[in-house]
Amino acid sequence: MTTDEENAPETAPALQDNIRKIEELSQRLIAALSRRAPAHPGLQGPNQELYTNAATAYWSEWMHNPAKLLEHQITYWSKSLVHFIEAQQQFARGQLAPPEDTTPDDPRFSNPLWKTHPYFNFIKQQYLIYAEAMREAVEKIEDLDETEKRRLRYFSDQIVDMLSPTNYLGTNPDALEKALETEGESLVKGLENLVSDLEANEGELVVRLVDEDAFEVGGNLATTPGKVVYRNHMFELIQYAPATEKVRETPLVVFPPWINKFYILDLKAQNSFVKWVTEQGYTLFMVSWINPGPSYADVGMEDYIEDGFLAAMREVKAITGQERLNVVGYCIAGTTLALTLSLMKKRGDKSVRSATFLTALTDFSDQGEFTPFLQDDFVDAIEEEATEKGVLSSKIMGRTFSFLRSRDLVFGPAVRYYMMGETPPAFDLLYWNGDGANLPAKMAIQYLRRLCQANDFAEDGYELMGETLRLRDVDVPFCAVSCESDHIAQWKDCYRGFQQTSSRSRTFILSQSGHIAGIVNPPSKKKYGHYTHDDLRLDHENWRAEAEFHEGSWWPRWDSWLARRSGKWVPARKPGDSQHPPLAEAPGTYVVAPPTD
């Protein structure tokens, strides 16, 4: 007599082995999660007041205009029910096919089975009907101010994206097909990736976006030759070796953001801004900021200005023997450069001949896509966290930036690496993006409270270092470069800020692409173009409508602008001098050092 077990097909040895591996990895997963430290609850989402206000507004709308909300609910129910009936009718006809699918194209649902297989198609269409209903429900709430509406829109979108069927193994045809093709090996590799990421981050889930073993700072990244010629508790100053026999007389100093590392401007040789600048004949200095630890808790914006910006300018003038110099500030360093220029005007310091601002915000009256995170509930939680730890952790900032593009930087990668077992790519830009730095507690709080929330610099003035610093004090010739699809420093907001300066020589360039790709855009790639227009009196919409488009990188245009402000040609300068002997080879020690104690 045979039994059901005797008649059952044998499990393939490879599949059995993979099942055992999954059981072993599950134990490591539990152990990794047990090490996770409790996170500050205020950093996990908005406080309940947002949802309470939304519910109150929704209920008020129901009381005053029930027909409107009933219409919305009935529309959702009818769409969902009609689709269910159509699917049932297909089955009743004996057809293993989905009903007509008129849903818009969505890269998440690119597998043909989402259109052809009745099970997957039914799930997809029901999800998209729900997603549309959720968005409409949010838009129909009227008794919320615009800030709360923007926050509710953002957080509801996060919930909708999280619930996408592509995020779950049982409803993701790509992951299921891959598991069958590999006899479960893809799931084993995916679980290994998940466990490794949890173990590397003390139980905190941070999706690894890049193959970290493929890069080394100073090895195949940040390789432009140079020397560290000065060092203090805030930064190392790198002077790059000349690439031409003669150089422009006026030196150039670049201040990168200290949220990340400076080598975004010196990635691989073929897309290195640093290398390209030296090849155009400039004496280039780069500030490499320290990665602060808890001992830097009381370091504020004033320290970054006095012991950072002004100290670097002082040393560059001493090394080159020049009384004036050109400066560049990128992102938050561009914001701080504007503060520094205002302070220098108050002090009568005319050392800066020209300034270049890369994706730099100076007017925060519109908080853009950061609106959900710049309200008091989040900022209060950040202040508490930073005050307790002494720093605002790079992980918190990295997670915030990632969730501004959660489909591309959270959910999508999690599916590929955890459910399909793919290996993260060897992508230099993503490697840099994951190599963040902490912010000192005092500085982070000043930045969030005084600049982002109160907008002091652009409005009543920022009281700092015994002076009232105002945006309108900035009067040096400047070139500002912003990026068309930048979601961190939206170009229209950057433009509005630079309109408020009092400089008589103002140049604004709008590059195609985003916060990084629009800046790191070497001419050799011939990839992204840029827009220019001389009249900065126009509002941003008219400026963009009338601007002239130019093919290719903005770098050569900026070089022509800078060359006119860089003096005559002089013999090339070797890094350092007798008072500034080389302390280390570029890229220096601060860029690879762990956070200070």
Side-chain angles (χ1 to χ4, degrees):
M1 183 174 68
T2 61
T3 64
D4 289 342
E5 290 183 359
E6 290 172 339
N7 290 329
E10 292 186 7
T11 304
L15 182 57
Q16 288 179 333
D17 187 47
N18 285 327
I19 291 173
R20 282 194 297 270
K21 289 179 180 178
I22 288 175
E23 291 174 350
E24 294 169 2
L25 285 165
S26 297
Q27 297 302 313
R28 285 176 56 193
L29 175 65
I30 294 171
L33 289 172
S34 68
R35 294 194 294 272
R36 183 175 182 268
H40 192 296
L43 298 175
Q44 304 306 304
N47 71 22
Q48 294 304 309
E49 185 177 350
L50 174 65
Y51 300 119
T52 301
N53 290 344
T56 301
Y58 197 83
W59 179 250
S60 176
E61 187 75 15
W62 176 269
M63 297 297 292
H64 291 93
N65 192 1
K68 179 180 177 183
L69 296 184
L70 279 172
E71 180 185 4
H72 173 255
Q73 289 293 321
I74 292 170
T75 300
Y76 166 57
W77 294 337
S78 62
K79 285 182 179 179
S80 183
L81 184 59
V82 166
H83 176 241
F84 175 76
I85 293 171
E86 289 175 348
Q88 289 291 91
Q89 288 173 342
Q90 290 289 88
F91 283 115
R93 297 188 190 105
Q95 298 177 351
L96 190 63
E100 182 183 6
D101 185 350
T102 59
T103 56
D105 290 337
D106 187 320
R108 293 175 296 176
F109 304 109
S110 58
N111 190 309
L113 289 177
W114 288 114
K115 282 187 176 291
T116 62
H117 194 285
Y119 167 71
F120 293 113
N121 183 265
F122 179 79
I123 291 170
K124 181 193 77 169
Q125 292 212 48
Q126 287 289 320
Y127 166 74
L128 292 176
I129 291 169
Y130 157 76
E132 180 186 11
M134 177 70 85
R135 283 190 289 269
E136 288 183 2
V138 171
E139 294 306 320
K140 288 180 183 296
I141 298 176
E142 296 183 350
D143 292 336
L144 284 178
D145 65 38
E146 182 55 31
T147 296
E148 286 189 312
K149 189 74 166 285
R150 290 173 74 169
R151 299 188 84 204
L152 187 63
R153 188 181 295 126
Y154 170 81
F155 289 113
S156 63
D157 282 347
Q158 295 302 308
I159 294 170
V160 169
D161 286 346
M162 181 182 68
L163 294 176
S164 170
T166 55
N167 295 336
Y168 303 92
L169 178 62
T171 52
N172 187 319
D174 293 298
L176 291 170
E177 286 180 329
K178 187 76 172 287
L180 289 173
E181 291 169 4
T182 62
E183 296 185 301
E185 185 179 357
S186 61
L187 297 179
V188 173
K189 288 184 176 178
L191 188 54
E192 286 177 340
N193 290 340
L194 172 60
V195 171
S196 296
D197 286 354
L198 287 168
E199 290 175 338
N201 294 283
E202 299 178 338
E204 185 78 24
L205 182 55
V206 179
V207 183
R208 183 164 53 98
L209 301 177
V210 66
D211 180 3
E212 296 174 356
D213 295 331
F215 299 103
E216 179 188 3
V217 177
N220 56 357
L221 298 177
T223 59
T224 304
K227 308 284 186 183
V228 175
V229 294
Y230 176 79
R231 178 187 295 135
N232 68 9
H233 68 290
M234 295 296 295
F235 69 94
E236 288 183 328
L237 183 65
I238 301 169
Q239 182 179 358
Y240 289 97
T244 54
E245 291 185 1
K246 291 191 174 183
V247 295
R248 296 284 182 178
E249 182 179 36
T250 305
L252 178 66
V253 191
V254 176
F255 296 95
W258 51 88
I259 292 175
N260 290 95
K261 310 292 181 65
F262 81 85
Y263 64 89
I264 184 59
L265 298 174
D266 191 24
L267 294 169
K268 295 178 181 178
Q270 58 266 35
N271 60 354
S272 170
F273 178 78
V274 167
K275 181 176 182 292
W276 184 86
V277 167
T278 61
E279 291 171 346
Q280 310 315 304
Y282 295 97
T283 301
L284 177 61
F285 292 82
M286 176 71 70
V287 167
S288 174
W289 302 102
I290 199 162
N291 187 359
S295 62
Y296 277 65
D298 294 327
V299 168
M301 293 293 290
E302 60 271 28
D303 299 291
Y304 276 90
I305 292 174
E306 195 69 67
D307 296 336
F309 285 75
L310 295 177
M313 293 182 200
R314 180 191 67 227
E315 299 304 321
V316 169
K317 290 192 294 182
I319 292 170
T320 61
Q322 296 296 307
E323 289 302 315
R324 306 193 74 196
L325 39 76
N326 295 317
V327 293
V328 177
Y330 192 173
C331 191
I332 189 175
T335 306
T336 312
L337 175 58
L339 289 166
T340 304
L341 293 172
S342 175
L343 178 67
M344 294 174 75
K345 180 175 176 61
K346 301 284 186 180
R347 293 180 174 180
D349 186 341
K350 298 182 179 180
S351 299
V352 172
R353 190 169 185 175
S354 78
T356 298
F357 298 91
L358 306 180
T359 65
L361 288 167
T362 51
D363 180 348
F364 294 83
S365 55
D366 185 341
Q367 297 167 347
E369 293 194 36
F370 280 94
T371 298
F373 303 104
L374 288 177
Q375 307 315 306
D376 280 338
D377 53 353
F378 266 105
V379 176
D380 288 347
I382 289 172
E383 184 169 353
E384 291 174 11
E385 173 81 4
T387 301
E388 178 185 349
K389 302 292 178 58
V391 294
L392 179 59
S393 167
S394 62
K395 291 181 180 178
I396 292 175
M397 292 182 289
R399 184 175 60 189
T400 301
F401 287 125
S402 292
F403 271 98
L404 290 175
R405 290 291 181 269
S406 57
R407 286 191 191 181
D408 298 329
L409 298 177
V410 180
F411 300 122
V415 168
R416 292 194 299 274
Y417 309 145
Y418 300 157
M419 284 169 47
M420 301 187 66
E422 296 180 8
T423 300
F427 188 12
D428 55 355
L429 196 152
L430 285 178
Y431 178 86
W432 166 86
N433 187 64
D435 189 14
N438 301 327
L439 299 183
K442 182 179 179 181
M443 174 264 140
I445 295 165
Q446 286 174 317
Y447 180 76
L448 292 172
R449 294 293 192 195
R450 304 288 300 282
L451 293 173
C452 296
Q453 286 193 313
N455 198 27
D456 284 348
F457 187 44
E459 295 184 2
D460 297 332
Y462 187 177
E463 300 291 335
L464 194 69
M465 304 171 72
E467 300 286 357
T468 302
L469 307 181
R470 294 184 174 88
L471 179 55
R472 62 176 179 266
D473 294 332
V474 177
D475 62 356
V476 302
F478 72 79
C479 176
V481 184
S482 292
C483 302
E484 193 171 26
S485 56
D486 191 338
H487 65 284
I488 294 174
Q490 294 189 34
W491 82 265
K492 65 181 181 64
D493 300 322
C494 296
Y495 178 83
R496 183 181 63 251
F498 291 114
Q499 284 184 304
Q500 298 175 53
T501 63
S502 58
S503 173
R504 289 179 293 177
S505 176
R506 305 188 297 186
T507 298
F508 189 83
I509 298 173
L510 179 62
S511 174
Q512 291 183 311
S513 195
H515 192 70
I516 301 300
I519 297 299
V520 184
N521 180 27
S524 59
K525 289 191 174 182
K526 300 179 181 179
K527 194 170 185 180
Y528 301 119
H530 59 280
Y531 300 85
T532 60
H533 194 304
D534 292 335
D535 190 353
L536 267 65
R537 295 171 300 177
L538 300 172
D539 62 41
H540 75 275
E541 291 180 345
N542 285 313
W543 185 95
R544 175 64 180 79
E546 297 181 17
E548 181 181 0
F549 178 73
H550 308 273
E551 297 284 352
S553 172
W554 58 270
W555 293 9
R557 181 174 302 278
W558 172 74
D559 173 36
S560 298
W561 177 89
L562 186 65
R564 296 193 298 272
R565 295 161 176 82
S566 297
K568 61 185 180 181
W569 292 98
V570 298
R573 305 176 175 107
K574 293 182 179 180
D577 63 10
S578 59
Q579 301 301 312
H580 298 82
L583 304 175
E585 296 289 333
T589 61
Y590 281 8
V591 72
V592 294
T596 55
D597 293 332

